[in-house]
Amino acid sequence: MKERTRRVFTRFLTVNTYLTFEELSKEFRISERTLRNELVLINEYLAENNYPIVTTTRGKGMKLVLSGKEPKKLLSQVGGDREKDYYRPNERFLALLLDIADTTKTTLLYEMEDKLGVSKSTLDEDMRKLRQFLKEYAISVVSLTKQGIVLQGDERSIRSMLYDVINSMTNIDHLMGYRDTDAVITFIDKFVLDYLDKRVLQVLEEQYDAVLKKSRVEINHVYRNQIILFLGVWVRRVQEGNTVSELAKVRAEVGENPVRSFVDAICTEFALYPSLNEIKYITFTIESFNPKDMNNSFDWVTAQLLAIQLIEHVEKVTRIPFSQEEEDLYEGLYKHITGLLSRTKNDLQVINPLKDTIKESYALIYNAIACFSKQIESYTRKPLSEDEIGFLTIYFSTSKSRMKQDEQYIYQAVVVCNHGISTGKLLAANLKEQFNIEIVAVLSSYELAFIDKLDVDLIFTSIPISYQKRPTLLLNPILRESDKKEIQAFLLQNKDKRRSMPNEIDATKLMQDILALIVESGGKVTRESYQRVEDTFKEYHLKFNKREIQPMLQDILKDSNVLLKQDCRDWKEVITKVGLPLVKEKVIEERYINAMIKSVEEFGAYIVVGKHLALAHARPEDGVNKLGISVMTLNEPVNFGNEENDPVKIVFCLAAVDSYSHLNVMKSLIELINDEEKLDQLIVAKDVKTFNQVLYGNKVMK
């Protein structure tokens, strides 16, 4: 049975509602005529094996009606009708690569001919393709007298290559679920599980959850599974004695933290005794997948700027008011972009198994983000992959769904999704929006035990699970039309589970409207009056969005912190001079200035965020006492080393205490970056009064 036929057949085996040619044609991207041919092949297979065939009902579509364990039995048979010793080219490629990568045994080509069941000429062609592929990683394949065929290259490159190959050829989420002995397993998955060892992956999962969850480290399940995959490769290579060079440049000393504890637990579990160099390597690699908030000053502010600009760009292109959902949307984007920047620097790429479906289902948002990709690439210096664009799209799609939700829910359910927390949230938001379903939690397959503790009646899952206590429906993570039909039928079947749920009101906008009325009526909003209104809202148990209440630029930029027409010899003196007013007012400590300079020395002139404009900053823990900002214009411009935006004529110094309290300040700076006329007027301003009029009132100087 051909692969495409197998996929179409599997679709019929995993749904309980009718499917139409139109839906399947769109889903599999083939013509209806081709689908009809596939259906003939499927029905022939069913008839030959004494099963009912797929039938068509006028006005409804096609359906395969089976009984009892027949669907599961057929699923196990699909893919199992090939001769055992026949492998497709991609399967031969992986089998050959993993055999050569295994340094515990000798790989001889004539033995591989027999193992793969191919001729010498076919294997020679496979080796040629393999050598060509490995060139991208600066890895070669050589033949040694006693060792046979082996890989030669930097150990870091070999590990990254193995991770990339396995990640691209398997569905890592499904791979983690193969502890179920009844699961249908492909040849490729079998090769990977044999190489990495299914037990090793299971232990890595358990240690990850036990150590990092106990330490309250926020986990994105997409990264979780891919970290486990990379660790599986690392454990295998270290066990075989393949280690990174002690002469290679590594990151600074790794202190005690949850990730280090996780690595120590793995070493103990597998009796590994790696060098300190190896510990640094794998700890830094894990942190690159799932970095801490504000990992460094480069990622911190860059991610904030990009998140704010991306929201504004997508809102402008799609005309969808994403600013209404800015709190959750910004937080998700900020954290994802921080990880994206960190991964890019370390040549690590996450795989998004749903990117094609996302691209098709949310084309408007996807294309808007794709148009913005050049701004992200200006920082990463590498192309933004479709996988990453797909992840970013999910945050906006989830936000869009939340804005349309009817908050009167009548079902209470849980979502199980191993494709990632963000994908699970999107599925949850779509269920809530389209079917009035209250989603209590989004879980992954290893958290099924939590369901017993939740007050839920239904389970929606994107992966096959075995759970008999609640009605369960298997769905695609990105809902298709056929999924929506299944959901409707499922809810109707379980209509006795309906509940009456109270509405919850987000009173932030209402409060801001009230304050605006006070101002319009001649009243003055003070901190005290603001607090009294807030307290009143709380008395009525209304939801209050704290992050919407942030100081504006004019609230924190004092006249004494505005320095005009200053002379500086170089960029270091510029940073020092603009930071001194904040030191004088004890907003920052002197060491913060040194940290800002060191950050530029380490990461380059990334602080030059716009034409002639620099934003000097470091991390909050580098000496910030409270939120503050200063600004300085230069009598003579100074080069910072940013070819695109040099020379710098105006510089702001930002002292932030967290990731959120200064967002309105950041928005003002972004507006300034995009307004060259206003920027030019600020640069030539001769007194603070004029400077403030331009900065806050957008007045043009005569």
Side-chain angles (χ1 to χ4, degrees):
M1 187 179 292
K2 295 182 299 183
E3 184 63 29
R4 184 174 62 207
T5 311
R6 201 183 317 276
R7 288 168 55 219
V8 176
F9 194 5
T10 300
R11 188 74 178 119
F12 279 103
L13 290 170
T14 54
V15 301
N16 297 314
T17 55
Y18 290 94
L19 298 171
T20 67
F21 279 113
E22 182 181 1
E23 292 168 351
L24 291 173
S25 176
K26 184 177 181 181
E27 181 178 333
F28 292 103
R29 298 180 181 179
I30 55 178
S31 67
E32 291 189 17
R33 180 178 178 180
T34 302
L35 267 173
R36 293 183 190 279
N37 293 333
E38 298 292 355
L39 187 59
V40 170
L41 295 173
I42 292 170
N43 278 337
E44 286 177 354
Y45 180 90
L46 289 167
E48 289 172 2
N49 290 277
N50 299 316
Y51 287 104
I53 64 172
V54 177
T55 57
T56 302
T57 302
R58 184 181 295 275
K60 292 185 177 180
M62 301 169 290
K63 190 175 183 180
L64 176 58
V65 180
L66 300 170
S67 59
K69 297 182 178 180
E70 287 180 340
K72 186 175 182 180
K73 185 177 180 181
L74 272 171
L75 277 171
S76 67
Q77 292 174 358
V78 172
D81 56 352
R82 276 193 287 147
E83 291 296 328
K84 184 178 179 181
D85 58 354
Y86 168 71
Y87 298 108
R88 299 189 179 97
N90 63 330
E91 294 166 344
R92 295 200 307 269
F93 172 88
L94 184 62
L96 187 59
L97 173 62
L98 295 182
D99 201 280
I100 295 172
D102 185 353
T103 57
T104 63
K105 60 183 181 181
T106 303
T107 300
L108 302 173
L109 289 183
Y110 73 86
E111 291 181 349
M112 291 303 297
E113 291 175 20
D114 293 335
K115 184 175 181 179
L116 298 177
V118 296
S119 65
K120 182 179 182 303
S121 60
T122 299
L123 189 63
D124 286 344
E125 178 62 16
D126 287 344
M127 284 296 296
R128 185 191 68 78
K129 292 178 180 178
L130 178 60
R131 287 190 174 94
Q132 188 66 30
F133 171 80
L134 293 174
K135 280 184 180 180
E136 298 180 12
Y137 295 88
I139 300 170
S140 57
V141 180
V142 299
S143 179
L144 303 178
T145 304
K146 295 183 179 181
Q147 296 173 265
I149 307 297
V150 298
L151 301 177
Q152 279 193 349
D154 182 77
E155 178 60 22
R156 290 172 174 77
S157 298
I158 293 175
R159 295 174 185 181
S160 295
M161 177 273 296
L162 290 170
Y163 163 78
D164 288 346
V165 169
I166 294 172
N167 210 352
S168 63
M169 295 185 71
T170 64
N171 185 322
I172 184 62
D173 298 319
H174 292 169
L175 200 66
M176 296 301 176
Y178 279 136
R179 293 198 299 273
D180 182 359
T181 55
D182 293 333
V184 180
I185 186 169
T186 66
F187 282 116
I188 284 179
D189 291 340
K190 183 179 185 303
F191 295 151
V192 172
L193 290 172
D194 287 346
Y195 178 74
L196 296 182
D197 190 333
K198 188 161 54 175
R199 189 192 74 83
V200 170
L201 294 178
Q202 181 177 349
V203 171
L204 290 173
E205 284 187 274
E206 293 169 353
Q207 290 293 337
Y208 188 101
D209 297 336
V211 178
L212 295 189
K213 272 197 169 181
K214 186 178 180 181
S215 303
R216 296 181 180 179
V217 175
E218 185 170 345
I219 297 172
N220 182 316
H221 294 300
V222 170
Y223 302 155
R224 170 193 181 272
N225 288 346
Q226 298 197 26
I227 289 170
I228 290 169
L229 172 59
F230 196 95
L231 279 166
V233 173
W234 180 73
V235 169
R236 176 70 192 248
R237 297 293 293 179
V238 172
Q239 285 176 332
E240 293 177 3
N242 302 296
T243 60
V244 297
S245 169
E246 292 294 327
L247 299 176
K249 183 180 179 181
V250 294
R251 203 181 179 200
E253 294 295 326
V254 179
E256 293 299 324
N257 59 53
V259 174
R260 174 63 189 269
S261 299
F262 172 47
V263 172
D264 289 344
I266 293 170
C267 292
T268 301
E269 185 68 34
F270 295 109
L272 300 177
Y273 301 96
S275 66
L276 180 60
N277 215 49
E278 278 285 359
I279 296 292
K280 293 176 183 178
Y281 161 83
I282 196 61
T283 301
F284 185 45
T285 300
I286 294 170
E287 289 176 343
S288 296
F289 277 103
N290 205 23
K292 299 176 183 177
D293 192 27
M294 298 183 292
N295 190 44
N296 58 57
S297 53
F298 167 75
D299 291 343
W300 169 49
V301 169
T302 302
Q304 290 184 351
L305 286 169
L306 288 173
I308 294 170
Q309 290 173 314
L310 181 56
I311 292 173
E312 292 179 351
H313 170 79
V314 175
E315 183 172 275
K316 181 179 179 181
V317 173
T318 63
R319 297 185 179 180
I320 300 171
F322 285 111
S323 54
Q324 293 180 10
E325 285 283 322
E326 188 171 36
E327 176 191 7
D328 292 333
L329 177 58
Y330 168 81
E331 183 174 351
L333 287 174
Y334 162 64
K335 289 182 178 179
H336 186 88
I337 292 173
T338 301
L340 187 160
L341 294 171
S342 182
R343 290 192 300 275
T344 304
K345 285 188 297 183
N346 295 283
D347 294 321
L348 293 171
Q349 175 61 56
V350 291
I351 301 297
N352 188 338
L354 304 173
K355 64 182 177 185
D356 291 334
T357 307
I358 293 168
K359 188 175 182 179
E360 180 179 337
S361 301
Y362 303 101
L364 181 63
I365 296 173
Y366 182 95
N367 292 332
I369 296 172
C371 291
F372 185 82
S373 61
K374 288 185 178 180
Q375 284 157 272
I376 298 177
E377 291 167 0
S378 67
Y379 290 96
T380 63
R381 304 297 179 187
K382 295 178 182 177
L384 186 66
S385 70
E386 291 189 349
D387 299 85
E388 293 287 9
I389 296 175
F391 281 128
L392 294 172
T393 301
I394 288 176
Y395 292 105
F396 284 95
S397 302
T398 305
S399 218
K400 179 184 176 184
S401 295
R402 279 198 298 261
M403 285 188 280
K404 293 183 178 179
Q405 287 169 16
D406 175 3
E407 298 185 347
Q408 187 66 40
Y409 306 117
I410 55 176
Y411 290 92
Q412 201 145 297
V414 65
V415 165
V416 179
C417 182
N418 262 20
H419 291 285
I421 284 295
S422 54
T423 307
K425 286 184 177 179
L426 175 58
L427 176 56
N430 280 327
L431 289 170
K432 292 165 73 175
E433 172 194 350
Q434 300 181 48
F435 300 98
N436 289 343
I437 299 170
E438 169 67 13
I439 301 300
V440 175
V442 178
L443 307 174
S444 58
S445 59
Y446 58 88
E447 295 176 308
L448 295 181
F450 287 116
I451 298 178
D452 293 337
K453 302 177 182 179
L454 300 175
D455 183 21
V456 297
D457 302 304
L458 304 175
I459 301 172
F460 295 94
T461 176
S462 64
I463 56 173
I465 62 172
S466 177
Y467 193 87
Q468 307 299 325
K469 299 180 182 179
R470 307 279 197 287
T472 303
L473 181 63
L474 179 64
L475 298 170
N476 190 56
I478 307 296
L479 293 181
R480 297 171 288 208
E481 288 304 316
S482 57
D483 290 310
K484 295 174 185 177
K485 292 180 182 179
E486 282 197 83
I487 295 168
Q488 290 172 342
F490 180 69
L491 294 179
L492 183 62
Q493 181 183 354
N494 293 281
K495 60 183 179 181
D496 59 315
K497 308 294 184 184
R498 294 177 182 177
R499 299 188 184 201
S500 177
M501 302 292 289
N503 284 332
E504 183 182 45
I505 301 173
D506 184 344
T508 309
K509 183 65 170 63
L510 177 59
M511 178 178 177
Q512 292 173 336
D513 288 344
I514 291 174
L515 294 173
L517 289 172
I518 295 174
V519 173
E520 290 174 6
S521 64
K524 184 177 181 181
V525 179
T526 63
R527 184 178 296 274
E528 290 73 23
S529 65
Y530 206 113
Q531 186 62 49
R532 284 199 299 271
V533 177
E534 181 181 337
D535 292 342
T536 302
F537 275 70
K538 287 180 179 178
E539 288 177 10
Y540 287 88
H541 307 288
L542 296 173
K543 179 182 174 182
F544 208 84
N545 183 347
K546 280 282 189 182
R547 288 176 184 161
E548 294 290 336
I549 308 166
Q550 298 157 350
M552 306 296 287
L553 180 59
Q554 55 264 43
D555 296 329
I556 59 172
L557 179 57
K558 299 179 180 179
D559 288 353
S560 57
N561 294 343
V562 179
L563 308 177
L564 303 178
K565 296 294 182 180
Q566 300 293 308
D567 292 308
C568 296
R569 296 185 302 274
D570 54 31
W571 64 266
K572 291 184 180 180
E573 186 176 353
V574 171
I575 292 177
T576 301
K577 207 164 189 177
V578 75
L580 287 177
L582 298 182
V583 173
K584 185 178 180 180
E585 294 182 354
K586 297 184 179 180
V587 172
I588 60 174
E589 300 169 18
E590 287 189 16
R591 63 189 178 96
Y592 188 78
I593 293 178
N594 294 329
M596 290 190 289
I597 293 173
K598 185 178 179 181
S599 184
V600 175
E601 290 176 335
E602 183 175 356
F603 298 106
Y606 70 94
I607 67 169
V608 185
V609 295
K611 201 70 176 176
H612 308 311
L613 186 150
L615 176 60
H617 62 274
R619 294 176 295 187
E621 60 267 31
D622 288 328
V624 177
N625 298 320
K626 60 182 179 180
L627 178 63
I629 194 166
S630 59
V631 62
M632 180 173 72
T633 61
L634 295 166
N635 201 30
E636 294 293 333
V638 173
N639 287 323
F640 273 60
N642 186 309
E643 293 182 7
E644 186 176 351
N645 294 319
D646 268 345
V648 170
K649 299 178 181 179
I650 182 170
V651 57
F652 287 84
C653 178
L654 174 66
V657 293
D658 54 39
S659 302
Y660 302 98
S661 59
H662 59 286
L663 284 186
N664 281 330
V665 174
M666 297 287 282
K667 290 178 184 177
S668 297
L669 295 178
I670 289 172
E671 290 175 4
L672 194 56
I673 292 171
N674 298 325
D675 192 337
E676 292 185 16
E677 182 181 2
K678 186 174 184 178
L679 192 61
D680 290 339
Q681 293 169 15
L682 290 174
I683 292 169
V684 300
K686 296 180 179 179
D687 57 75
V688 174
K689 181 179 179 181
T690 303
F691 186 91
N692 288 340
Q693 284 178 336
V694 176
L695 185 60
Y696 306 131
N698 201 26
K699 295 182 180 180
V700 180
M701 295 186 296
K702 302 297 183 182

